[in-house]
């Protein structure tokens, strides 16, 4: 397999799709060896077939704001690969959303979902709609307009969307209500539903909890744990919240959160009532973290900077793609950081990842480390099919077990002769093999 030759073709077919090309290159470089050892993958065109989405659907979403003005946004659903189960993956509402971003996310989702051990294919969708500053009624009207198109493309056994940036419980509720009305059925077509209408306990916190469980397993390989450690978290959304809660529970002190405007440094730790305040800040649809520093005197707001300059033992990037670059990685390494676990999707640039690996930092890539969210979505789908609900403890135990299995799979496929585990390689190879073998079994379709 010739990675450069394949990349040339992918670049030709997808010009300027920077994030998508970045995600594809990373996977290809990781699986090169295993593909060379198994020439039948190439003969069956597995690489070309896995790189291209099965289909990309785009649609217009017209909606009316509170003043009666009409707006038009663009909606997308990328159905990437369904070799091991229905297309599955979140919806992102953010002004930056474009096809490159959704294709990178959908592509990553194939391997992430494969790692969860559950039968889910990969997909992603969303819109360039900006929820910031919109009223609740505007959000509802947008979600309904979005679902008016999306409902034809999805179904509990074909494609099961969920949340991502800008899409949480409220948006899932409005979209589910509209789907139910249009499809005349009450099924588990979306995950992340409210607990009284088919949702699963632990789903809201699952990505962050899972990320910390994964980091815990990585630390265990070096006889380390979270207790007494300093942790830097970026973002202040759904994933950040879960990660902060679990890291704190395990005895760590989380000292940062961030927004696009800068970061908060709170040397006394972000926990308890401070986490509740964080949730209030989020619920108010604000994109700023500055108010936190007015509320809690121990905290300082550092405008225009990222949290990676703070001296910490563990870093959990939980905001967005490419938010931690080479300079940030250098600062973390210089300050003695031993573990980086990606809560967000692809938050570290390739140069940053390279530095972490060179310096033997425990590095958990998003498709393994943040798989707890979609894994718990899988558990929600199971509960929906069985028409029952598991307890908090039952779901948490299954989530924990899944994160340990993912860690094991990464070690199995990522450990080198010196005993160093390259979790990037491990996650990509383990995720790829299951999907590739399923594609082989199912013929050319
Ligand atoms: P949320 O919308 O709940 O939160 C994201 C927050 O991060 C927003 O407040 C956003 O602000 C902020 N943010 C965006 N860009 C930056 C930046 N450059 N620096 C600092 N903060 C920023 O989203 P989630 O928590 O759900 O998602 C966060 C990440 O985790 C994404 O990469 C997502 O793909 C990934 N993920 C999510 C899962 C889930 O279950 N929700 C599962 C697995 C991964 P603003 O909107 O103003 O830019
Ligand atoms: O990136 C992700 O894994 C998610 N946003 C969650 C997807 C899901 O289907 O729960």
């Amino acid at each position: 397999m010739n990675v450069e030759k394949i990349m040339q073709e992918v670049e030709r077919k997808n010009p300027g799709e920077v994030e998508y090309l970045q995600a594809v290159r990373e996977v290809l470089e990781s699986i090169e060896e295993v593909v060379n050892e198994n020439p039948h993958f190439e003969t069956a065109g597995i690489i070309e077939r896995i790189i291209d989405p099965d289909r990309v659907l785009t649609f217009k979403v017209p909606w009316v704001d509170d003043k009666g003005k009409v707006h038009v946004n663009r909606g997308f659903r990328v159905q990437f690969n369904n070799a091991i189960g229905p297309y599955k993956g979140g919806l992102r509402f953010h002004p930056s959303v474009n096809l490159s971003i959704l294709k990178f996310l959908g592509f990553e989702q194939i391997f992430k979902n494969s790692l969860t051990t559950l039968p889910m294919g990969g997909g992603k969708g969303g819109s360039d709609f900006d929820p910031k500053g919109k009223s609740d009624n505007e959000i509802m009207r947008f979600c309904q307009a979005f679902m008016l198109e999306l409902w034809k493309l999805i179904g509990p056994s074909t494609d099961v969307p969920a949340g991502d940036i800008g899409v949480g419980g409220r948006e899932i509720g409005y979209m589910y209500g509209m789907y139910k009305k249009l499809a005349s059925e009450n099924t588990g077509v979306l995950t992340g539903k409210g607990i009284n209408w088919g949702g699963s306990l632990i789903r809201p916190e699952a990505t962050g909890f899972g990320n910390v469980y994964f980091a815990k397993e990585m630390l265990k390989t070096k006889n380390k744990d979270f207790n007494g450690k300093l942790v830097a978290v970026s973002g202040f959304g759904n994933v950040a919240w879960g990660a902060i809660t679990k890291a704190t529970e395990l005895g760590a002190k989380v000292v940062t959160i961030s927004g696009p405007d800068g970061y908060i440094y709170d040397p006394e730790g972000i926990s308890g009532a401070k986490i509740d305040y964080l949730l209030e800040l989020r619920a108010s649809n604000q994109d700023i973290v500055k108010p936190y520093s007015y509320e809690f005197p121990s905290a300082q707001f550092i405008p225009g900077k990222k949290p990676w300059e703070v001296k910490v033992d563990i870093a959990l990037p939980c905001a967005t793609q490419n938010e931690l670059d080479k300079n940030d990685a250098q600062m973390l390494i210089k300050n003695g950081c031993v573990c980086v676990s990606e809560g967000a999707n692809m938050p570290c640039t390739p140069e940053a990842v390279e530095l972490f690996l060179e310096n033997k930092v425990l590095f958990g890539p998003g498709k393994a480390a943040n798989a707890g969210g979609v894994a718990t979505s899988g558990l929600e789908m199971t509960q929906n099919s069985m028409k029952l609900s598991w307890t908090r403890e039952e779901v948490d135990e299954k989530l924990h077990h899944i994160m340990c299995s993912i860690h094991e799979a990464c070690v199995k496929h990522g450990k080198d002769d010196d005993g160093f585990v390259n979790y990037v390689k491990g996650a990509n190879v383990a995720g790829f093999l299951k999907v590739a073998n399923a594609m082989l079994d199912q013929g050319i379709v």
Side-chain angles (χ1 to χ4, degrees):
M1 164 178 160
N2 184 332
V3 174
E4 288 314 319
K5 202 163 152 225
I6 299 173
M7 278 312 297
Q8 269 172 21
E9 185 59 9
V10 183
E11 279 162 21
R12 191 188 63 75
K13 277 191 180 164
N14 306 276
E17 296 192 354
V18 183
E19 295 83 1
Y20 170 57
L21 296 170
Q22 180 182 335
V24 171
R25 176 177 283 280
E26 185 209 276
V27 170
L28 291 183
E29 286 176 351
S30 293
I31 63 171
E32 187 176 6
E33 197 181 310
V34 80
V35 171
N36 287 339
E37 285 163 10
N38 295 277
H40 53 287
F41 287 143
E42 274 201 284
T43 317
I46 296 292
I47 312 302
E48 289 85 344
R49 287 162 60 203
I50 216 166
I51 287 173
D52 245 4
D54 286 353
R55 62 196 67 80
V56 174
L57 307 142
T58 63
F59 47 91
K60 184 172 68 184
V61 189
W63 59 280
V64 187
D65 72 17
D66 288 344
K67 295 194 182 101
K69 187 175 177 346
V70 177
H71 299 262
V72 178
N73 284 97
R74 184 161 288 179
F76 303 89
R77 187 71 184 164
V78 181
Q79 296 179 331
F80 229 110
N81 185 297
N82 65 353
I84 62 168
Y87 303 107
K88 177 85 195 91
L91 297 169
R92 179 177 289 193
F93 292 171
H94 196 272
S96 64
V97 161
N98 58 34
L99 208 46
S100 170
I101 290 180
L102 295 182
K103 277 165 69 181
F104 117 65
L105 290 164
F107 182 68
E108 294 260 303
Q109 201 82 42
I110 305 171
F111 308 99
K112 184 195 302 192
N113 293 2
S114 163
L115 285 168
T116 64
T117 70
L118 302 174
M120 298 182 289
K124 200 83 187 185
S127 173
D128 58 0
F129 171 74
D130 187 0
K132 289 277 139 57
K134 303 290 188 297
S135 72
D136 198 57
N137 275 327
E138 287 172 333
I139 299 273
M140 180 177 76
R141 284 196 295 274
F142 176 80
C143 288
Q144 291 176 338
F146 184 82
M147 191 48 89
L148 210 47
E149 281 293 326
L150 187 70
W151 81 280
K152 297 172 234 171
L153 315 171
I154 60 176
S157 308
T158 49
D159 185 352
V160 184
D164 193 79
I165 291 181
V167 178
R170 176 181 56 168
E171 291 74 19
I172 294 290
Y174 292 146
M175 286 192 272
Y176 186 73
M178 195 61 173
Y179 177 86
K180 196 163 62 91
K181 195 177 173 87
L182 293 163
S184 298
E185 60 175 37
N186 210 329
T187 53
V189 71
L190 294 166
T191 59
K193 299 186 289 300
I195 200 62
N196 296 319
W197 40 278
S200 174
L201 286 163
I202 302 277
R203 176 64 189 92
E205 25 315 51
T207 311
F209 275 23
N211 184 27
V212 171
Y213 292 151
F214 191 85
K216 191 173 128 204
E217 290 305 301
M218 291 199 290
L219 288 165
K220 215 196 272 176
T221 65
K222 302 278 174 214
N223 296 319
K224 292 183 176 16
D225 59 27
F226 270 90
N227 199 21
K229 302 293 187 303
L230 289 181
V231 179
V233 168
S234 63
F236 67 116
N238 180 261
V239 178
W241 159 65
I244 294 169
T245 307
K246 185 52 77 178
T248 307
E249 200 183 300
L250 296 181
K253 194 194 270 186
V254 178
V255 291
T256 69
I257 49 168
S258 74
D261 52 335
Y263 78 93
I264 291 285
Y265 174 56
D266 186 346
E268 288 187 6
I270 299 164
S271 62
K274 292 172 176 176
I275 297 183
D276 297 339
Y277 181 75
L278 193 65
L279 290 178
E280 270 173 45
L281 212 60
R282 283 295 295 147
S284 68
N285 260 359
Q286 292 193 65
D287 64 349
I288 51 170
V289 283
K290 204 172 176 179
Y292 182 103
S293 63
Y294 308 144
E295 197 71 15
F296 303 105
S298 59
Q300 195 188 343
F301 175 68
I302 294 100
K305 291 280 181 77
K306 296 186 275 182
W308 318 125
E309 60 188 18
V310 175
K311 185 171 167 42
V312 289
D313 307 294
I314 298 164
L316 307 175
C318 294
T320 195
Q321 65 275 356
N322 292 328
E323 54 158 315
L324 193 163
D325 62 20
K326 191 177 171 184
N327 286 340
D328 300 321
Q330 264 158 353
M331 273 188 287
L332 283 168
I333 294 165
K334 188 169 85 39
N335 283 331
C337 175
V338 293
C339 175
V340 178
S341 193
E342 294 188 325
N345 286 306
M346 209 167 75
C348 300
T349 64
E351 296 77 23
V353 175
E354 205 179 309
L355 265 185
F356 290 137
L357 295 179
E358 269 170 29
N359 285 275
K360 307 275 187 249
V361 172
L362 295 166
F363 176 75
K367 59 170 77 71
N370 72 37
V374 72
T376 308
S377 279
L379 300 176
E380 183 173 328
M381 289 162 74
T382 309
Q383 292 169 80
N384 290 163
S385 321
M386 293 163 78
K387 305 212 185 302
L388 52 73
S389 298
W390 290 323
T391 63
R392 229 185 131 74
E393 290 71 28
E394 281 173 307
V395 180
D396 197 22
E397 197 197 317
K398 288 181 205 305
L399 166 65
H400 193 204
H401 178 78
I402 289 171
M403 295 317 294
C404 292
S405 310
I406 298 175
H407 181 267
E408 258 173 51
C410 291
V411 172
K412 181 174 171 199
H413 294 282
K415 201 176 200 162
D416 68 19
D417 294 339
D418 299 330
F420 173 71
V421 181
N422 178 338
Y423 289 90
V424 177
K425 182 179 176 202
N428 285 328
V429 171
F432 168 77
L433 281 176
K434 183 171 166 187
V435 178
N437 284 319
M439 289 169 76
L440 281 180
D441 292 346
Q442 294 169 19
I444 315 299
V445 286

